[in-house]
Amino acid sequence: MSALSEFHLLSVLAQEMNMRKAAERLFVSQPALSQRLQSIEKEWETKLFVRSQKGLTLTPAGELVIQFANEVIGREEKVKESIGALNSEVHGTLKLAVASIVGQNWLPQVLKKYISRYPQAKISLMTGWSSEISKSLYEDQVHIGIIRGTPDWKGVKIHLFKDSLYLVDKEITRPEQVLETDRPFIQFKSDSNYYQEIQDWWMRQFKTPPKRTVVVDQIETCKQMAFNGIGYAILPAITLNGAEKDIFKIPLLDENNEPIERDTWLLGYESAFRLKQVRAFAELIREHVEEGGN
């Protein structure tokens, strides 16, 4: 299987575009890596990478070979998964794409249970925005996506939990007080319908935009700024673990005086659920939710 190891080497080089970093990832010395690359290029009878002080650059031939190598590696993973599915134990890599807010606040306890119960299984995890998770599912890069909001999905779709939205601040105890404060409304960027829900609530409630706003990239930054009294924010309950001190949490209500809530869903294709590591993860999540782990 020397060809497979060579493909993995080329794939790592193409990801790092740096001999030192690639050597560290592959646990080999730079001279040894350089020698192996020269040998591979000799087999292909062409230069695959051009070296410079800034790092590596792929040649046109290199781009074709890397594309082929990644396709072979992808097929190798699928064959390994199929072989693993034949065994009684849970093996293989569980590939997850998860909304960042879920990955930071809810998923760790689930993964802890999964790793403990299935020590032979491996986990590949990416976090990001909902659009990125949907893209990774459509392109078959992951087995399962966990997404916020109400996704339009034709495959397996399992509802995990709801959590309410709160106006969070160190001073404000009633929603109408936001019109009196000079401190800013702190918001975090989102590509889901979360932002629109907040806008709709705000205009129903106040009929006028906030006096001042601060927009940050990450929800955790938004949360810490609110907790430190810089301004007020609207945050989902999933980010509030009860340990915060001297913080007022005012629930957001819709036009029917009902709490405004966010849904979290598990998504995947039927084919992925034929894999034992995926089925095991889905079953463990159901247990976790039924036990009140939300």
Side-chain angles (χ1 to χ4, degrees), residues 27-184:
F27 299 100
V28 298
S29 67
Q30 283 192 59
L33 178 59
S34 180
Q35 189 173 0
R36 286 186 66 186
L37 176 58
Q38 288 175 15
S39 176
I40 292 169
E41 288 178 327
K42 187 176 180 181
E43 287 183 23
W44 285 96
E45 298 180 348
T46 186
K47 204 79 173 168
L48 304 180
F49 292 89
V50 176
R51 295 196 204 188
S52 69
Q53 289 184 339
K54 293 182 179 179
L56 299 175
T57 305
L58 276 169
T59 65
E63 290 178 3
L64 291 174
V65 172
I66 293 299
Q67 182 181 348
F68 176 61
N70 288 333
E71 288 172 1
V72 172
I73 291 168
R75 289 296 304 153
E76 178 199 10
E77 289 178 354
K78 289 186 180 297
V79 170
K80 284 183 176 179
E81 288 171 353
S82 299
I83 292 171
L86 300 175
N87 300 324
S88 57
E89 291 186 14
V90 174
H91 291 270
T93 301
L94 173 68
K95 299 177 185 177
L96 303 172
V98 181
S100 295
I101 187 173
V102 177
Q104 292 168 357
N105 298 280
W106 183 83
L107 187 67
Q109 9 177 356
V110 176
L111 291 184
K112 182 180 179 181
K113 291 181 182 178
Y114 185 81
I115 290 169
S116 175
R117 189 176 299 182
Y118 306 110
Q120 301 300 320
K122 298 178 182 178
I123 294 170
S124 170
L125 172 66
M126 66 159 280
T127 60
W129 284 355
S130 298
S131 60
E132 296 168 332
I133 294 162
S134 297
K135 183 172 182 286
S136 64
L137 277 168
Y138 285 126
E139 293 180 353
D140 202 24
Q141 295 175 353
V142 296
H143 300 130
I144 283 177
I146 297 179
I147 212 163
R148 299 276 282 174
T150 309
D152 181 19
W153 183 253
K154 306 299 183 187
V156 177
K157 184 175 174 181
I158 301 170
H159 186 260
L160 299 181
F161 59 86
K162 291 177 179 285
D163 62 317
S164 300
L165 300 183
Y166 291 90
L167 191 146
V168 176
D169 192 44
K170 290 182 73 72
E171 298 178 10
I172 293 169
T173 58
R174 302 188 315 278
E176 55 270 21
Q177 289 176 327
V178 301
L179 300 177
E180 301 165 10
T181 184
D182 288 325
R183 290 179 306 117

Side-chain angles (χ1 to χ4, degrees), residues 192-241:
S192 68
N193 61 351
Y194 178 88
Y195 182 78
Q196 190 58 51
E197 284 185 67
I198 302 305
Q199 292 293 98
D200 293 345
W201 173 82
W202 184 282
M203 294 311 293
R204 279 198 312 270
Q205 192 81 21
F206 306 118
K207 309 291 191 298
T208 183
K211 291 181 185 177
R212 295 170 62 199
T213 59
V214 172
V215 180
V216 297
D217 285 338
Q218 301 290 333
I219 190 169
E220 187 62 26
T221 306
C222 174
K223 172 182 166 181
Q224 293 303 324
M225 289 176 73
F227 282 13
N228 282 279
I230 297 170
Y232 57 94
I234 291 175
L235 296 171
I238 190 175
T239 64
L240 308 171
N241 57 20

